[in-house]
Amino acid sequence: MNTIIVNKELCNGCKICMKACFIDVIKWDDAAKRPLIAYPEECVQCMYCEINCDKRAIKVHPKYDSYLFPREHLI
Amino acid sequence: MTKHMATDVLIVGGGLSGLATAITAKEQDPKLDVTIVEKYTSGYSGKANRGAGIMLILGDHSPEEFAQFYLKHIGMYLNNQNALLKYAKMLNSNADAIEKWSGKIDKDENGRFRTLKWASKIVGRGEDGRPIFDQNVPYPWTLAAVDLDYIREVRKYARRLGVKFIDRVGVVDLLTDRGAVAGVVGYDIDNGAQTVFGAKAVVLACGNQCWRIMPMWSPARGEGVAAAFRAGAKFANCEYGSFYNWTNLDHFESDMGVEYALYNDKGENVGIKHIKEVHPDINAESLAEWYKQTIAGNGPLHYRQNENPLMPYLTSVLASQAVHNRPYADRFWGYLFFNAFSQQTTDHVVPGLVGEFGGLWVDENMATTVPGLFAAGDICVHGSRAWGATAQPGRHRGSGIAFATFSGRVAGPSAATYAAGAQSLALSDDQIAAIDARVTAPLKSGGSLVPMEMVAEIQKVMQPLGNSLYRHEDRMKKALARVEELKALLPQLKASDPHQMFGVNECEATLLCAEMFFKASLERKESLGWFLREDYPEPSKDGLEWIIVENKDGKVSVGKERVPLETYPYQP
């Protein structure tokens, strides 16, 4: 699956990464005031969390090999 | 604990079409309470901020010129010509509206929209090094460009008008009173709390069904389609909801113009013969060729990108400042291209199912057949019948933003007029309880399947080209039988949190859409435009008909309606 890394020192808890996610991969940890990468296996590497983070505190490393796609069912 | 809220106009979905609906409803009647309920976060959600950011406008061409070209070359006259002409007449003012709401359309030094016709050729360089294009292409439209952070600005504009926003609540069903829409039921995607909304008018602007296969289209999971079906709405052109883009299995980013440079494993160009003199975009025949070559043992198929004549155009428009000034879009496409091409290992190319299944029937005022229920955006592109015999994006790129803006600008005033003359209807406790039982059942289920396992099984039915594009009765009947098997497995799906609870609702919606798709496809016994049948390779001699899908006692029922060509201005 894709790897989504949060630098919790750089993160200022603004929630923009959670808001930017259009499929609910990123939840919010209210106690820690930091993002919770709850469903990385569903991430579609749109990169919106990373692009929208002013603090450069989140990074997505796509791993396309594990992307859910019916590779053996094309015909 | 259930929360109860009431509003005049409730819009499901805070993407571009929902925002356009809200703004124009509020502008028409500022006294009305207008509320957007969005499953994720309005301003970021939807697909209209993750595409090319190009917006189709007419430029100097006339609506009639556009319509006639479109009917002849793309829609094959399977169009509601009144809807097509209305769309065409609003194309230029759509761009004015987006600019007013966001200020994000790229302009030249004189403040005019910088436009570039699709597939123009680079013929030289200006003093500033920017390419000069020959825009003498045979397509009666042009493209403006918008930076991809524009929807955030549109949301701010809507908020300043007084539009209310409720984010992170997903709507799962509509409430009705004696057949008219009375409200909706939604759940918080984080804590699962239920909210019941009363509304005088509801607008579904929550996207279509893209089968959750290609990455950018992942959020379109058909819950609005399913909710409308359960409420008794009518559908049309469902069989056209299978757009495929060329892609590479290494990274799943879309390629355009592959058909110009599509080679089989023997080294023969097998795509070029399918490019007719007028070729506005990918056609179904070149995709079917991929299928035929593969079946014949001539695969894998290869894409020789350096032979694609569109590449100079594409690389000038996307992730490049060669033509447009769009810093946010440049970053977005820069990330995607870097990630994709740094991991690409082969030139093997396959068709990836995008889908864009949006058959919710609407009239020319974006009203569905359910009183008080309207629609805007992708959910009703096919159902509007404006585009005819084609899959979205309708062989005219830039049409997604154009249709979202157009349909929102029509649906908003229509819904506002309806709401201003309507009374609040009764909300049925029985309906609310039944919806709650259905939606929350997976949380109490002792089942063994999780939603992503079901998603994988649905993909195996929908992705094959022989099922969903180059169709045959035998293959479609097998696919439909598998859909029925998967429907029977739905009670075995379990959810451990609200995210998975929504996942189950999405799977149920996707299977309903699949059933509608295959049943409508079986009924169309011909090949017409984007719709291809191996067993019926020619257009029908019985005349033009729309395939209609309706809810009869909870079952998917299919029928036909003749296209009333004699009432339209243009004839084949």
Side-chain angles (χ1 to χ4, degrees):
Chain A
M1 73 182 84
N2 293 349
T3 305
I4 306 171
I5 307 165
V6 177
N7 182 326
K8 292 183 180 171
E9 294 302 314
L10 286 176
C11 174
N12 65 355
C14 75
K15 291 191 179 179
I16 199 73
C17 54
M18 181 195 74
K19 292 177 181 175
C21 182
F22 71 159
I23 51 172
D24 200 29
V25 167
I26 303 175
K27 294 284 194 184
W28 194 250
D29 182 338
D30 280 324
K33 295 187 170 54
R34 292 293 180 266
L36 191 66
I37 312 303
Y39 291 95
E41 69 275 19
E42 297 184 28
C43 173
V44 295
Q45 62 274 341
C46 80
M47 308 303 291
Y48 251 48
C49 54
E50 185 169 336
I51 293 169
N52 281 284
C53 178
D54 287 341
K55 297 293 175 188
R56 304 285 185 267
I58 188 164
K59 285 200 175 297
V60 179
H61 291 290
K63 189 174 180 190
Y64 299 102
D65 286 352
S66 59
Y67 180 73
L68 185 65
F69 191 99
R71 291 172 176 77
E72 308 302 320
H73 298 80
L74 302 174
I75 298 293
Chain B
M1 178 97 152
T2 297
K3 202 188 289 184
H4 291 269
M5 300 183 76
T7 187
D8 295 316
V9 178
L10 186 142
I11 298 151
V12 184
L16 179 57
S17 64
L19 286 162
T21 303
I23 288 168
T24 52
K26 195 72 181 170
E27 282 180 338
Q28 172 168 299
D29 193 342
K31 298 187 301 297
L32 289 177
D33 211 22
V34 176
T35 305
I36 289 178
V37 182
E38 162 59 47
K39 188 176 177 186
Y40 306 116
T41 302
S42 175
Y44 295 95
S45 57
K47 297 177 288 188
N49 52 9
R50 285 169 174 82
I54 53 176
M55 180 174 190
L56 183 137
I57 62 175
L58 284 181
D60 297 331
H61 297 282
S62 72
E64 292 76 18
E65 191 182 359
F66 175 85
Q68 288 177 75
F69 176 97
Y70 199 87
L71 290 163
K72 180 179 177 186
H73 295 291
I74 299 174
M76 315 311 287
Y77 293 88
L78 192 71
N79 304 66
N80 175 344
Q81 293 187 22
N82 299 328
L84 175 64
L85 279 163
K86 189 169 184 175
Y87 167 65
K89 285 173 182 168
M90 289 175 66
L91 283 169
N92 280 349
S93 60
N94 283 341
D96 296 333
I98 293 288
E99 175 63 11
K100 178 181 161 191
W101 301 338
S102 74
K104 289 282 183 177
I105 296 190
D106 185 39
K107 295 174 281 295
D108 64 19
E109 57 277 9
N110 299 314
R112 289 190 296 257
F113 296 154
R114 202 190 312 268
T115 61
L116 181 60
K117 283 193 153 192
W118 172 252
S120 302
K121 290 185 174 59
I122 295 176
V123 291
R125 296 271 166 191
E127 287 179 5
D128 58 0
R130 290 190 174 210
I132 299 167
F133 289 89
D134 175 6
Q135 301 203 48
N136 187 28
V137 293
Y139 313 128
W141 63 82
T142 189
L143 299 163
V146 61
D147 209 355
L148 290 174
D149 54 354
Y150 71 113
I151 299 184
R152 290 194 319 226
E153 303 304 317
V154 179
R155 173 179 166 137
K156 288 178 196 165
Y157 186 94
R159 187 181 281 284
R160 286 196 296 273
L161 284 181
V163 172
K164 294 174 183 166
F165 288 87
I166 296 172
D167 288 327
R168 300 188 77 78
V169 171
V171 169
V172 296
D173 252 322
L174 298 158
L175 296 167
T176 55
D177 181 8
R178 288 159 290 169
V181 76
V184 306
V185 176
Y187 291 83
D188 187 299
I189 68 168
D190 296 313
N191 62 27
Q194 186 192 57
T195 304
V196 174
F197 298 87
K200 293 173 183 167
V202 172
V203 184
L204 290 173
C206 47
N208 53 13
Q209 171 62 262
C210 293
W211 315 109
R212 212 171 164 178
I213 293 177
M214 289 287 278
M216 187 198 108
W217 294 266
S218 184
R221 300 173 185 178
E223 305 114 292
V225 173
F229 179 84
R230 287 190 288 266
K234 172 179 170 179
F235 293 79
N237 281 347
C238 291
E239 69 278 18
Y240 282 93
S242 61
F243 180 64
Y244 284 81
N245 244 355
W246 298 112
T247 191
N248 183 301
L249 283 179
D250 282 340
H251 54 66
F252 308 103
E253 288 301 334
S254 297
D255 285 311
M256 286 183 269
V258 169
E259 60 273 18
Y260 287 96
L262 180 68
Y263 285 82
N264 65 17
D265 212 35
K266 295 176 177 173
E268 299 163 332
N269 185 327
V270 295
I272 205 85
K273 66 185 174 190
H274 297 293
I275 296 172
K276 300 181 176 74
E277 190 177 342
V278 175
H279 181 73
D281 203 350
I282 185 171
N283 54 3
E285 288 81 3
S286 59
L287 290 158
E289 186 67 33
W290 179 94
Y291 175 90
K292 293 172 189 173
Q293 290 287 333
T294 307
I295 290 284
N298 295 334
L301 274 81
H302 306 266
Y303 168 38
R304 296 185 186 173
Q305 184 176 298
N306 62 330
E307 294 182 24
N308 179 355
L310 295 185
M311 279 316 291
Y313 174 88
L314 296 169
T315 52
S316 298
V317 175
L318 300 175
S320 160
Q321 295 178 359
V323 178
H324 295 292
N325 296 307
R326 298 187 300 163
Y328 189 90
D330 287 347
R331 260 172 67 213
F332 171 74
W333 283 102
Y335 272 103
L336 294 195
F337 285 162
F338 178 85
N339 286 337
F341 294 114
S342 63
Q343 297 191 40
Q344 182 170 324
T345 60
T346 77
D347 65 354
H348 296 179
V349 66
V350 301
L353 179 60
V354 170
E356 304 279 23
F357 171 98
L360 179 56
W361 189 98
V362 286
D363 67 12
E364 289 134 43
N365 296 314
M366 294 296 148
T368 73
T369 51
V370 176
L373 182 64
F374 299 80
D378 290 341
I379 192 169
C380 61
V381 166
H382 290 121
S384 77
R385 296 146 294 136
W387 292 4
T390 191
Q392 193 185 357
R395 303 192 68 205
H396 57 315
R397 303 264 172 168
S399 58
I401 296 176
F403 190 87
T405 312
F406 154 74
S407 55
R409 293 173 67 214
V410 174
S414 296
T417 300
Y418 183 93
Q423 301 293 319
S424 297
L425 299 178
L427 302 178
S428 159
D429 289 337
D430 289 346
Q431 284 182 29
I432 295 166
I435 291 166
D436 192 59
R438 180 182 72 79
V439 173
T440 62
L443 292 169
K444 302 150 198 159
S445 164
S448 54
L449 278 172
V450 295
M452 289 304 278
E453 291 173 305
M454 178 62 89
V455 169
E457 292 306 310
I458 298 172
Q459 287 185 345
K460 291 174 190 171
V461 185
M462 299 309 303
Q463 165 63 31
L465 211 74
N467 289 354
S468 299
L469 186 111
Y470 190 54
R471 290 165 254 203
H472 188 285
E473 181 170 332
D474 296 345
R475 293 193 292 270
M476 285 194 286
K477 283 187 169 171
K478 281 184 192 163
L480 195 52
R482 181 60 180 154
V483 168
E484 293 295 339
E485 287 173 4
L486 294 175
K487 280 173 68 180
L489 291 175
L490 281 170
Q492 293 186 31
L493 281 168
K494 64 176 179 181
S496 57
D497 60 15
H499 177 91
Q500 289 190 331
M501 181 185 86
F502 275 100
V504 176
N505 189 51
E506 293 155 9
C507 287
E508 186 178 347
T510 306
L511 286 168
L512 173 63
C513 292
E515 182 183 353
M516 294 163 78
F517 175 77
F518 286 121
K519 286 186 171 171
S521 298
L522 282 162
E523 192 70 16
R524 186 171 291 287
K525 294 180 172 58
E526 63 174 336
S527 291
L528 186 68
W530 191 266
F531 185 87
L532 295 184
R533 291 273 303 247
E534 186 177 5
D535 46 352
Y536 295 95
E538 300 295 328
S540 168
K541 292 186 172 58
D542 297 337
L544 291 163
E545 293 175 310
W546 288 308
I547 307 298
I548 302 297
V549 171
E550 292 180 280
N551 179 341
K552 294 274 172 69
D553 301 321
K555 307 283 185 200
V556 173
S557 171
V558 179
K560 291 179 179 177
E561 278 180 16
R562 197 176 62 81
V563 177
L565 269 175
E566 69 282 1
T567 68
Y568 291 152
Y570 306 114
Q571 309 300 322

